[in-house]
Amino acid sequence: MSINSVAIIGAGMAGVTCASRLVLEVPEVVVFEQNPKPGGRMTSIVFDEFQCDLGAQYFTATSDEFVAHMETWEDEWLVDRWHGWLVELENGQAMTRDDEVVRFVGRPGMDAIVEKLGELCSVRCGVAIQTMERSGKQWYLLDAEGHRHGPFDAVISAVPAPAARRLLAASPKLAIEAGSVEVQPNWIVVLGYSEPLNLGFDAANLVDSDITWMANNASKPGREGWDVWLLQVGNEWSAQNTEADPEAVVAHMLKAFDQATGRDNPAPDLVKAHLWQHSLVVNPLACGHLYHEKLQIGACGDWCQASRVEGAFQSGVSMAERLLAERES
Ligand SMILES: Cc1cc2nc3c(=O)[nH]c(=O)nc-3n(C[C@H](O)[C@H](O)[C@H](O)COP(=O)(O)OP(=O)(O)OC[C@H]3O[C@@H](n4cnc5c(N)ncnc54)[C@H](O)[C@@H]3O)c2cc1C
């Protein structure tokens, strides 16, 4: 089949993994990303004095291929093991969680791998694609500024499921599959302290709190500067408060933080609240990718495989392998 040009929408882990495979064999591969830089839900933000992983906190590697990549990325200093002290926290009582999990983090931020993979292909940042249009046997993409991109032989959506449902409208079957996937919202609150808080642990899963996870970014390898505590707000509270004022979210979570840690913590020197409208996938399809052979339109992303960084990677690989197989058929 004639596939010599491919457009991929979304420069998260799935999109850039897919693109970095395709560029080895397909003459033209272009990734469109709405944000100023690649990363997606693995993004890290940098403030004046500190940086913080705003999405994925760490990742695990279980499949042979991802484990092999991890070894390469560790050699390249893009990834490191995080040996943070993880506890289970309930009303100020911390219980050490003794697990055997090997936790990896990107360095200096979680987005390091995505940025590196993005360097292997052509990524056009700051372009939000709104529609995919089929004309004859080719595809054109329309962006939010009204610009038309193309033509492309094949188009791949690598965006979260709710956005994919809209982009895949040309293939009702694929759009319906994307629409069947539920993705939860999550508020995140970042607290920066110029003096260490000395909580006695580096990260915690919380019981009986509106916060489900907290971690000190400064405890991760390759991070420098202030103590930066990231609080991940629970799905239930987040879903009920998607319209909340960020200041009100911060005020509520500072109280929950004090209650969970069992002490009156000093006021943070910097705070930031962020709402991930599409955070964690509830019911991933576990099918690798979606593809319509005749239309040459497909989809990948964590929601196609598993709701983790590794799931997004596997989905990107699966999509690329399918397109390369289609080229040879
Ligand atoms: C708060 C939080 C904590 C998490 N914690 C963990 C964890 O600890 N461990 C773990 O393994 N996973 C974790 N995850 C999940 C993990 O981050 C995701 O599974 C993974 O990063 C998804 O990658 P993706 O490429 O499928 O999607 P995304 O990373 O969402 O990438 C999609 C990209 O598409 C872009 N895009 C969307 N629409 C358009 C458009 N119209 N035009 C152009 N570009 C568009 C987006 O800007 C984005 O860059 C967490 C996620 C969140 C939000």
Side-chain angles (χ1 to χ4, degrees):
M1 215 165 267
S2 156
I3 302 180
N4 291 315
S5 56
V6 180
I8 297 174
I9 297 124
M13 180 56 120
V16 296
T17 298
C18 181
S20 63
R21 297 270 162 138
L22 292 178
V23 287
L24 303 175
E25 296 186 39
V26 179
E28 186 188 1
V29 179
V30 184
V31 184
F32 295 91
E33 168 56 48
Q34 65 184 2
N35 287 335
K37 61 174 190 160
R41 278 170 282 160
M42 291 176 75
T43 202
S44 302
I45 47 165
V46 179
F47 295 92
D48 287 351
E49 303 289 343
F50 62 83
Q51 84 171 50
C52 184
D53 299 324
L54 211 56
Q57 295 295 295
Y58 64 85
F59 49 92
T60 49
T62 55
S63 62
D64 289 347
E65 183 159 18
F66 202 46
V67 168
H69 271 74
M70 219 51 69
E71 284 166 11
T72 310
W73 290 334
E74 275 189 286
D75 289 345
E76 293 174 2
W77 287 86
L78 287 172
V79 158
D80 212 335
R81 287 160 201 243
W82 179 33
H83 301 289
W85 185 19
L86 180 59
V87 300
E88 201 155 291
L89 196 60
E90 186 170 10
N91 289 322
Q93 300 297 314
M95 278 180 301
T96 302
R97 235 181 63 169
D98 213 4
D99 60 26
E100 305 281 305
V101 178
V102 178
R103 296 180 173 83
F104 294 96
V105 292
R107 58 180 296 163
M110 285 296 280
D111 45 14
I113 308 166
V114 177
E115 279 185 14
K116 176 75 179 179
L117 290 172
E119 285 168 11
L120 304 175
C121 37
S122 164
V123 183
R124 293 189 198 159
C125 290
V127 184
I129 300 300
Q130 288 195 320
T131 321
M132 300 176 175
E133 265 183 12
R134 187 126 169 107
S135 174
K137 288 194 164 184
Q138 296 206 290
W139 287 99
Y140 290 86
L141 307 181
L142 297 184
D143 71 26
E145 307 282 314
H147 299 124
R148 198 166 187 244
H149 307 267
F152 297 100
D153 296 328
V155 283
I156 303 300
S157 155
V159 304
R165 184 179 61 80
R166 290 188 293 276
L167 281 178
L168 295 168
S171 166
K173 185 172 178 293
L174 267 51
I176 287 169
E177 294 218 50
S180 72
V181 175
E182 190 189 335
V183 188
Q184 293 171 330
N186 266 128
W187 275 102
I188 295 295
V189 174
V190 179
L191 309 175
Y193 296 91
S194 53
E195 298 292 327
L197 270 190
N198 296 322
L199 290 183
F201 54 84
D202 297 317
N205 284 302
L206 283 81
V207 181
D208 232 4
S209 170
D210 288 334
I211 303 168
T212 52
W213 162 264
M214 61 169 75
N216 181 5
N217 262 258
S219 69
K220 297 179 183 176
R223 276 74 169 164
E224 284 171 9
W226 294 11
D227 261 21
V228 184
W229 283 87
L230 176 130
L231 315 181
Q232 189 172 328
V233 179
N235 303 124
E236 203 178 326
W237 197 94
S238 295
Q240 286 165 359
N241 293 280
T242 51
E243 303 293 325
D245 174 14
E247 281 183 20
V249 176
V250 168
H252 184 82
M253 292 309 151
L254 280 172
K255 279 189 200 145
F257 185 50
D258 284 353
Q259 190 181 0
T261 52
R263 51 185 247 178
D264 288 333
N265 293 296
D269 298 290
L270 275 167
V271 291
K272 181 176 174 63
H274 174 78
L275 176 67
W276 286 104
Q277 283 284 3
H278 307 130
S279 177
L280 299 175
V281 183
V282 179
N283 54 339
L285 299 176
C287 64
H289 67 273
L290 301 175
Y291 192 65
H292 190 303
E293 297 95 340
K294 203 165 159 216
L295 293 176
Q296 298 185 175
I297 182 172
C300 60
D302 60 349
W303 57 275
C304 290
Q305 182 59 27
S307 181
R308 312 296 294 165
V309 169
E310 184 172 14
F313 170 85
Q314 289 174 311
S315 178
V317 170
S318 164
M319 185 74 256
E321 284 175 354
R322 175 65 179 271
L323 277 177
L324 294 176
E326 291 288 332
R327 278 190 96 216
E328 284 168 14
S329 65

